[in-house]
Amino acid sequence: MLKIDKISKFFFDGGNSIFFNSKKVEAVKNVSIEINTGDTLGIIGESGSGKSTLAKIIAGIHNPTKGDIIFKGKSLLNLSQRQRNNLIQYVFQDPSNSLNPRKTMMQSLLVPTTYLLGLTKDKAYARIKDILKSVSLPLETLNKYPHELSGGQAQRIAIARSLLSKSPLIVLDEPVSALDVIIQEQILLLLKNLKKEFNLSYIFISHDLAVVENFCNKIAVMFHGEFVEIGNTKKIINEPAHEYTKLLINSVP
Ligand SMILES: Nc1ncnc2c1ncn2[C@@H]1O[C@H](COP(=O)(O)OP(=O)(O)OP(=O)(O)O)[C@@H](O)[C@H]1O
Ligand SMILES: [Mg+2]
């Protein structure tokens, strides 16, 4: 379904100053992986290892410095943002940051529905109502502003928004890290059910090995911008090859 082909991303810090040499940050280095339809690929690694940078490249938020992303045989890099959004959606770690504080949920959901799907307002509203049901939120949520929602409700809205376009692949960047444990469980269960209901594939980013073990069929371990190990979940957990993976497994309480 999706082939990530030798992707690298370099940032240049302080590059605007004539007094300082810009420092090159190699956030992602020569990363390759394939995602098949129905996969839930977990990407795990410590803070700063390049997970979000890679996720944003996959979702089209950043451009890679090198490499290509092939979706069903075609490069994504030549497509418009709108075409890419219809194929791959991105859910941010912190739902309160990803929702516009001055917009009601209705306004936040209507724009992507009319823009991405080209639906009339009436049809868009019907679609939003359906999706709201799928994420188990009551209709009155649509009149609320982000500050009137709990973290779990806000993340349900962010997930709902990612479903509106009917994209077959969703990149979930630490979708439960900002939530407390009980709400985490509920959102993970919701994601599992939605995957079945809509035939989705996921890329699931996390630094929590226990969550990834339970949720993902494949794991890629990221360390200093590189994939140091890729394999199916059982194999990675039972026979870790890389020192960093062993460290991760041993640090699970
Ligand atoms: N826009 C940017 N400009 C410059 N450097 C950046 C930018 N975004 C990320 N970086 C750097 O790239 C590296 C990887 O960051 P990234 O956010 O991808 O890590 P991460 O694995 O998602 O970490 P976390 O678990 O904390 O979310 C870090 O060194 C970070 O400082
Ligand atoms: Mg991150």
Side-chain angles (χ1 to χ4, degrees):
M1 176 189 213
L2 186 78
K3 188 173 168 203
I4 314 234
D5 191 17
K6 301 196 190 94
I7 287 286
S8 296
K9 177 72 181 178
F10 307 147
F11 293 110
F12 294 91
D13 270 356
N16 295 329
S17 166
I18 53 166
F19 299 109
F20 300 102
N21 287 327
S22 64
K23 191 172 144 266
K24 183 166 147 193
V25 179
E26 300 191 2
V28 175
K29 286 183 268 185
N30 203 31
V31 162
S32 298
I33 195 165
E34 284 192 40
I35 293 129
N36 299 317
T37 304
D39 268 348
T40 299
L41 167 71
I43 299 180
I44 189 157
E46 63 192 356
S47 185
S49 58
K51 305 182 297 295
S52 293
T53 304
L54 177 63
K56 286 176 185 164
I57 290 170
I58 296 170
I61 298 167
H62 285 327
N63 276 323
T65 310
K66 286 185 208 161
D68 203 351
I69 305 173
I70 317 280
F71 190 91
K72 296 189 175 158
K74 277 197 213 141
S75 173
L76 285 182
L77 300 181
N78 307 318
L79 299 184
S80 69
Q81 191 60 47
R82 177 175 157 171
Q83 286 172 314
R84 294 188 69 162
N85 286 345
N86 275 323
L87 297 175
I88 304 177
Q89 281 284 318
Y90 183 82
V91 174
F92 288 85
Q93 170 169 352
D94 186 350
S96 53
N97 283 341
S98 68
L99 296 168
N100 186 329
R102 285 180 299 275
K103 283 190 174 166
T104 64
M105 293 307 118
M106 185 64 195
Q107 291 166 325
S108 282
L109 295 176
L110 203 54
V111 173
T113 319
T114 48
Y115 167 74
L116 289 176
L117 294 174
L119 295 179
T120 60
K121 258 194 171 174
D122 281 355
K123 288 210 169 124
Y125 182 58
R127 170 122 189 99
I128 289 169
K129 270 184 12 191
D130 277 353
I131 291 292
L132 222 55
K133 213 183 277 167
S134 294
V135 299
S136 305
L137 284 175
L139 213 52
E140 62 255 29
T141 315
L142 289 176
N143 302 321
K144 297 199 167 166
Y145 288 89
H147 74 271
E148 297 173 304
L149 300 178
S150 71
Q153 287 167 336
Q155 197 56 300
R156 279 173 198 267
I157 288 283
I159 292 167
R161 190 171 55 181
S162 76
L163 295 169
L164 287 169
S165 61
K166 304 184 182 173
S167 313
L169 176 65
I170 302 183
V171 180
L172 302 155
D173 192 351
E174 309 221 28
V176 296
S177 304
L179 308 171
D180 73 49
V181 179
I182 292 174
I183 309 296
Q184 278 193 8
E185 297 274 322
Q186 292 172 358
I187 297 288
L188 289 171
L189 183 65
L190 170 72
L191 287 169
K192 279 187 184 172
N193 292 336
L194 291 171
K195 182 171 187 296
K196 272 191 226 141
E197 185 180 349
F198 297 109
N199 236 332
L200 299 168
S201 308
Y202 289 144
I203 296 176
F204 183 90
I205 293 177
S206 178
H207 52 254
D208 186 339
L209 188 67
V211 170
V212 167
E213 182 178 0
N214 174 278
F215 196 74
C216 304
N217 65 308
K218 239 188 204 176
I219 298 180
V221 181
M222 205 164 184
F223 185 66
H224 292 330
E226 289 175 285
F227 279 170
V228 292
E229 198 161 348
I230 298 172
N232 74 44
T233 303
K234 273 206 185 99
K235 183 158 191 301
I236 297 268
I237 302 284
N238 295 329
E239 306 160 37
H242 194 272
E243 285 310 311
Y244 176 66
T245 317
K246 289 179 193 166
L247 199 72
L248 266 178
I249 290 168
N250 290 333
S251 64
V252 173

